[in-house]
Amino acid sequence: MTNTADIDRLQRLMALMTGAEKHSTAATSTLDALWVLYDRVLRVSPETAGDPGRDRFLLSKGHGPMAYYAVLAARGFVPEAWLPGFGSYDSPLGHHPDRTLVPGVEISSGSLGHGLPLAVGTVLGLRAQGLADPRVWVLIGDAELDEGSNHEALAHAGPAGLEQLHTLVIDNASATHGWPGGIASRFEAAGWSAETVDGRDHEALYAAYTAPHPGRPRAVVARVEPKN
């Protein structure tokens, strides 16, 4: 089930971004999954964006940020008036998100393979500070799993029992290699809790995001239309 009013609003916000974006499909593929996460799951707001106890969201799939910017605008992190300037020389909304320019953005991203290792490090850093409540979410694309850095992070997180870590994989069938048995099986083999859902079904996404996974990191694979 999808809340069409929410998606219509987000698509209107995305339509305000008229710069020369070459990765609009990458952005559109993440729209529903991002909205459910920000609207119903993440414990962070514009007012708490600097609170040590906030949840963290890391966009590893940073080369297609239009849906991310639309969601941030809808949730009040950035002004809607910024959106038409997307990608222009003097706009804070670049083709890759910049954590020093965009409120609510945790990492500057865009190069594939960085987000999941950074998320693992974030969880380890929170543990070192005695912060057990904040949850860390990272969104990666299925093609990023071709990167060795992600495999090292994935292999470490399961045995380390990083329960605060949640990985959202947007599967638009663009990976070069793929995995026998599907992407979720790769995470499960490394000791993760993992589930595959329809990436356009808001209720299925919410249920997968909030499923208990004691002592294990969580992976949600959101399947969407294959990339053209």
Side-chain angles (χ1 to χ4, degrees):
M1 180 182 295
T2 299
N3 188 324
T4 55
D6 286 341
I7 295 304
D8 288 347
R9 178 191 180 199
L10 291 166
Q11 289 176 339
R12 178 187 67 80
L13 292 173
M14 286 183 66
L16 296 175
M17 291 176 270
T18 57
E21 173 56 66
K22 297 178 176 62
H23 295 289
S24 58
T25 301
T28 304
S29 68
T30 68
L31 185 62
D32 295 85
L34 275 172
W35 177 246
V36 174
L37 194 59
Y38 268 89
D39 187 48
R40 302 173 63 181
V41 178
L42 282 177
R43 298 172 300 187
V44 65
S45 68
E47 295 73 30
T48 63
D51 188 332
R54 73 189 182 280
D55 286 347
R56 275 80 166 165
F57 172 76
L58 282 58
L59 181 69
S60 186
K61 192 180 169 76
H63 58 286
M66 291 194 303
Y68 186 36
Y69 293 153
V71 169
L72 289 175
R75 297 301 295 169
F77 288 89
V78 302
E80 185 177 319
W82 283 9
L83 299 179
F86 165 69
S88 62
Y89 177 77
D90 57 353
S91 172
L93 304 182
H95 291 283
H96 292 183
D98 186 329
R99 66 178 297 274
T100 68
L101 299 177
V102 186
V105 170
E106 297 280 357
I107 61 168
S108 302
S109 60
S111 297
L112 300 184
H114 291 176
L116 183 53
L118 285 169
V120 169
T122 301
V123 172
L124 293 174
L126 290 170
R127 279 188 170 188
Q129 297 173 72
L131 296 171
D133 290 332
R135 297 168 299 191
V136 177
W137 284 83
V138 57
L139 186 153
I140 69 175
D142 62 318
E144 290 193 74
L145 290 173
D146 292 341
E147 302 288 339
S149 55
N150 275 330
H151 290 287
E152 293 181 18
L154 191 159
H156 174 79
L162 301 187
E163 185 177 341
Q164 290 166 265
L165 177 62
H166 304 75
T167 298
L168 170 58
V169 184
I170 301 298
D171 180 8
N172 63 359
S174 60
T176 301
H177 304 301
W179 293 100
I183 293 171
S185 67
R186 172 68 182 91
F187 285 87
E188 289 170 338
W192 291 55
S193 165
E195 183 176 352
T196 301
V197 298
D198 180 347
R200 301 302 185 192
D201 186 327
H202 289 200
E203 294 306 318
L205 286 163
Y206 177 73
Y209 291 166
T210 56
H213 50 97
R216 294 190 291 169
R218 176 72 169 163
V220 176
V221 180
R223 284 182 173 164
V224 296
E225 309 79 29
K227 182 179 178 180
N228 292 329

